[in-house]
Amino acid sequence: MKIIKGNKYLLSTLESMTIRKKPAHTVLFWGEKGSGRKLMAKYYTKQLLCESPDNGRPCGQCTSCRNVDMGYHPDVMYVPRSGKLGGYSVETARSVISSAFVRPNNSSGRKVYIFADCHNMDPRTQNALLKLVEEPPDYAYFIFTAESKSDFLPTIISRCVSFRVSVCTEEEAREALADEGRTPEEIDRAVECFHGNIGMGIRYLIDDELKKQVDLTKSIADSIIRKDEYAMNTVFFSLGKERNDVRCVLSMLDMLIRDAAVLSEDAASRLVGCYRSGAESLSRQLTSSQAAKIHRRIEHAWRAVEANVGIPLVLAALCAEITEII
């Protein structure tokens, strides 16, 4: 069974619920992309279904645990997403509601529904699920994962047990990457970009698209440092129209601006962005007020992309706004 690094308090809480035989029927794991929220959802699923739990921990060896790990346990449903934005439809919610009242056929007497990456879950879908998560069948459990609790209606949140999944320390990330068989050079590159975010660090080493997104983010930062509007516009244009790519770059750029702001106040601050030297240069160039303004413009662009506004228009406007600020 894969060892989970960090989040010791969260793990102990889940284990305590299992030992006391009072697992929560509806759980939300939230945290930044790559922090391990899906891994935590799988761990909790194994706790619920394990045939031979060990002091609240899943054994990782029984048929149920192995089936969960391999993704084909008959009573674990990964709810499908649909549509251009990859959300969960009302029709899907109704299908889950109908399915939830069919009893499972396994030794644990439980079944689990996993809603992963809920940042595009329609409020109508959440309202359709509200009665189910409020009064679920005794044998049905529901797990949601998302980047933020704000992705959910207050009525859903009030019926969930919510856990924040935090990124690890850089040392824990190095240990995890070493366990994956990565070389010291690869580990250095991954940790330099993504610090204690193990999931993103692993992905960075194997995903050429993510490497490209990191390089584009660094290029945008360099163009801001040089105050080169043309270069910035060129980089933004090269992002294309794939929404996930644009969201990823905007998120990484926002973290760089955050790093620049905190470095201007404390040179020893813990960084979260993918470009230390770029953040250091920006910290000497941007005032706190300018950094805050750029953050708000990036946030506005992110919301526009989420709302399905044309990406070229959004990025051209963002470039012009950043140039005006600097």
Side-chain angles (χ1 to χ4, degrees), residues 63-107:
T63 300
S64 181
C65 284
R66 292 199 305 271
N67 286 345
V68 172
D69 273 330
M70 291 183 283
Y72 55 67
H73 194 293
D75 289 309
V76 178
M77 277 61 70
Y78 287 88
V79 182
R81 291 177 290 171
S82 59
K84 183 183 292 187
L85 298 179
Y88 292 95
S89 68
V90 174
E91 290 73 20
T92 297
R94 289 171 180 159
S95 176
V96 169
I97 293 167
S98 176
S99 168
F101 288 93
V102 177
R103 287 187 172 275
N105 184 23
N106 61 59
S107 60

Side-chain angles (χ1 to χ4, degrees), residues 3-56:
I3 297 174
I4 299 177
K5 300 289 185 181
N7 289 288
K8 291 182 174 57
Y9 178 76
L10 169 51
L11 289 169
S12 68
T13 301
L14 295 178
E15 289 158 9
S16 176
M17 290 194 308
T18 304
I19 291 170
R20 291 186 289 112
K21 300 187 184 303
K22 292 185 177 180
H25 277 269
T26 306
V27 172
L28 165 61
F29 294 108
W30 62 279
E32 67 180 69
K33 187 174 183 178
S35 60
R37 55 182 193 254
K38 291 180 188 175
L39 183 62
M40 204 65 73
K42 180 179 285 189
Y43 183 83
Y44 186 54
T45 299
K46 287 191 287 188
Q47 284 182 304
L48 291 170
L49 301 176
C50 181
E51 298 165 11
S52 304
D54 176 19
N55 197 30

Side-chain angles (χ1 to χ4, degrees), residues 102-283:
V102 177
R103 287 187 172 275
N105 184 23
N106 61 59
S107 60
S108 72
R110 293 169 174 169
K111 63 193 307 185
V112 182
Y113 293 84
I114 299 175
F115 293 81
D117 297 328
C118 291
H119 70 278
N120 284 321
M121 183 177 277
D122 192 303
R124 293 171 297 179
T125 303
Q126 296 185 51
N127 282 323
L129 290 169
L130 184 58
K131 185 68 173 176
L132 180 64
V133 299
E134 184 176 26
E135 298 178 4
D138 289 343
Y139 49 79
Y141 294 80
F142 306 92
I143 302 175
F144 298 88
T145 74
E147 290 193 31
S148 171
K149 290 171 68 174
S150 64
D151 291 318
F152 294 88
L153 298 173
T155 48
I156 291 288
I157 291 295
S158 68
R159 289 156 177 82
C160 290
V161 176
S162 300
F163 296 108
R164 180 181 180 183
V165 184
S166 302
V167 297
C168 300
T169 65
E170 291 192 2
E171 185 56 39
E172 288 170 331
R174 288 181 180 278
E175 291 174 2
L177 289 165
D179 290 343
E180 293 281 331
R182 297 298 170 180
T183 66
E185 293 76 15
E186 289 176 322
I187 293 172
D188 286 342
R189 291 203 309 274
V191 172
E192 181 182 6
C193 282
F194 293 104
H195 310 282
N197 190 319
I198 297 170
M200 290 299 287
I202 291 173
R203 185 182 155 205
Y204 176 69
L205 295 175
I206 61 176
D207 187 341
D208 289 338
E209 281 300 310
L210 181 55
K211 291 176 184 175
K212 178 183 176 182
Q213 291 160 8
V214 168
D215 289 342
L216 289 173
T217 304
K218 292 180 178 181
S219 295
I220 295 169
D222 288 337
S223 66
I224 295 174
I225 292 165
R226 298 194 306 270
K227 299 184 179 181
D228 187 339
E229 182 179 8
Y230 176 79
M232 194 191 320
N233 222 348
T234 300
V235 178
F236 275 132
F237 180 78
S238 70
L239 264 174
K241 299 181 180 180
E242 178 56 47
R243 293 186 186 280
N244 286 335
D245 291 345
V246 174
R247 283 195 292 256
C248 185
V249 169
L250 289 180
S251 178
M252 288 192 288
L253 179 61
D254 197 31
M255 287 190 282
L256 267 175
I257 297 301
R258 173 267 180 202
D259 284 351
V262 299
L263 284 173
S264 65
E265 301 295 328
D266 181 3
S269 294
R270 176 180 174 272
L271 303 188
V272 297
C274 64
Y275 190 20
R276 171 178 282 275
S277 61
E280 290 171 345
S281 295
L282 285 169
S283 73

